[in-house]
Every structure is written in structure tokens, then in C-alpha cells.
Amino acid sequence: MTPTARILMCPPDHFGIHYEINPWMRRERPADAEAAAEQWSALCAALRAAGAELALLDPVPGLPDLVFTANAALVFRERAFVSRFRHAERRGEESVDAEWFASNGFEVERLPDTLFFEGAGDALFCGDTLYAGYRIRSDIQAHQWIARRIDRRVIPLELVDPYYYHLDTCFCPLTSSAALYFPPAFDAYARTALVEQIPTLIEVEPDEARRFACNAVVVGRTVVTNTGCPRLHARLRAEGFEAVETPLDEFVKSGGSAKCLTLRLDGEESTRT
Ligand code: ARG
């Protein structure tokens, strides 16, 4: 149990496929509201069982992607670097997120308005290093700007596959020295950087990557993913983790899964040594 794990989530009351900003989203394939509510509640239960304490962001009509709290901000200690979304469809979330952080004891930091940045969806710590996905959603300069503000090294990783448009869809730090990744989502330079920097790098295969195997939530030694990732789960167990699956298909229709629906507020396990 990790009693200190604090995670921000947002109930899916207004979730839906109302626009198309990634290749998973198709308006003619709508989300089932009841199934989405059940799946979201089951994810909450799995995270609580792993020892997490959940904080909630109030859902807002007209903001169907607000459920994906990973994109609210990058949290570094008491500072929240709030997102500036590439797509106009999600920009209404920015003030809602900023207000939540301001009224919950965080110092809100805003990037220069020329830069796009989509929070923890594209920026993940492994040890002291910030790994940052760019090109499809976030700008490389945004990560460099943040790295200077927090005095951390940043390793930019170019994302090349539109299905893996956020870093957290193809990369997941497990500890300060281990991570999951789906190699074809990265350019050759990024793949080399990951192999050089991270001692234990677990490769996810294409069929399980499509089930969002890399979009995992780590709470202590528990790793929670969508269903349909049996080979990854076997590998995680062999590495001493407890692997938990919970169905998240309604959110996959929007291009998201377990990790996208969460934002760690107290620092990921992977930042601890
Ligand atoms: N429909 C959302 C979008 O395209 C899904 C966001 C998933 N979030 C994530 N952190 N990968 O922006």
C-alpha cells in the first residue's frame, strides 16, 4: 500500500465523442454513457484498492475530454504547469484546470502563449529526468521552457505515429530505472535515447499497445491497465509488480485509457529512488 498516492480524476458525466482530434475518435462511434460511468468507477475502485486517495475535478458540460486529467497540467511538487491545448476543442479546459489547482494549494504556472503543451500526457519523469513527447500535440520548446523553470534535464522524444499522439500512450515509467514503451511510436533518435537512458525498458507489442498497455497507472508496486494486455501483465508479474486490468473501452474510443484518466498530484513512484 502507498497511502500517500494522490490522484486527480474527473467523473465522465459529460464525456463523449463530440469531435475528432485523434485517429481513435469517430463521431459515428459514440461512447455509451452508462458503460463509461461504470468503467470509470471500476478504475477508481482499482486505484483505491492499490492505496490511492482520489481528488475530484467537477465535470463541466461542453468539455467532454475534461475526464482526461493527465492533460490538465504537469505537476512538479507544489507547482502546476497548466496545459495549452493544440486543438481549440479542448482549450475551454484550461481555465477549469487552472482554477482547480489554484484553489487546491498549487502554484499555477502558465507557459508563453505561443507554445502548446498538454501536461502529463506528454511529460513524464523517470528518475530526475523529464521525458517529453513532442510534435503531434506539445511543442519541443514548451518542454525546454519547463525544464529551465524546474531545473531538470529534459529528453525530448519525437512521436511519429498519430495513433500514439501523446507520450503516455506509448511510454510509462514504472520506477526510476524501469519503463514500458512501444518502439514504433518514436523516431530512431528517441528510441536510442530511451535505450541509453533507462536500464530496464520493457517493450510492448503492437496488439497490446493498441489496447493502451503503455497507458498504465502505477501506484506503489501495482500497475493498472485496460484489459487485453496479458503478455505485458505476465512480464510485470515476473518483474515483481502486481498487474491489474479493468475494462476501459469507452475511453479508448476517445484515444484514452487508464493513465489518461488520472493525474498524480504527489509525484510519481518513478521519481523516487
Ligand atoms: N480525446 C482526447 C484527446 O484527443 C484524449 C486524451 C487522452 N489523454 C492522454 N493523456 N493521452 O485529446
Side-chain angles (χ1 to χ4, degrees), residues 21-22 25 65 68 70-71 90 121 137 165-166 168 254-255 260:
I21 56 170
N22 69 55
M25 302 177 87
D65 279 341
F68 297 112
N71 299 125
R90 294 196 67 180
R137 293 292 182 87
Y165 57 93
H166 276 143
D168 69 0
S254 185
C260 307

Side-chain angles (χ1 to χ4, degrees), residues 29 61 63 77 112 115 137-138 144 151 167 169 215 220 247-248:
R29 195 173 51 182
L63 297 177
R77 298 183 182 144
L115 300 177
R137 293 292 182 87
S138 299
Q144 285 156 346
D151 195 23
L167 182 63
T169 64
N215 202 244
L248 291 163

Side-chain angles (χ1 to χ4, degrees), residues 70-107:
N71 299 125
L74 171 70
V75 175
F76 180 75
R77 298 183 182 144
E78 72 294 340
R79 294 151 85 181
F81 292 86
V82 294
S83 292
R84 177 163 287 110
F85 288 94
R86 183 168 300 268
H87 297 287
E89 289 88 337
R90 294 196 67 180
R91 288 193 195 132
E93 297 176 36
E94 295 167 8
S95 56
V96 178
D97 295 329
E99 201 179 307
W100 189 89
F101 286 105
S103 48
N104 283 273
F106 288 85
E107 203 178 299

Side-chain angles (χ1 to χ4, degrees), residues 171-243:
F171 175 69
C172 176
L174 298 171
T175 67
S176 59
S177 61
L180 310 176
Y181 84 135
F182 177 53
F186 297 93
D187 78 341
Y189 182 83
R191 285 198 298 272
T192 306
L194 288 170
V195 170
E196 275 173 5
Q197 298 297 324
I198 302 179
T200 304
L201 205 48
I202 300 176
E203 260 190 63
V204 166
E205 289 167 56
D207 59 324
E208 296 194 353
R210 277 195 295 277
R211 295 295 298 161
F212 281 81
C214 295
N215 202 244
V217 188
V218 182
V219 180
R221 295 296 288 180
T222 304
V223 181
V224 182
T225 72
N226 186 24
T227 55
C229 313
R231 291 192 304 285
L232 172 64
H233 280 216
R235 175 71 194 272
L236 287 169
R237 289 188 188 108
E239 298 280 342
F241 290 95
E242 188 180 339

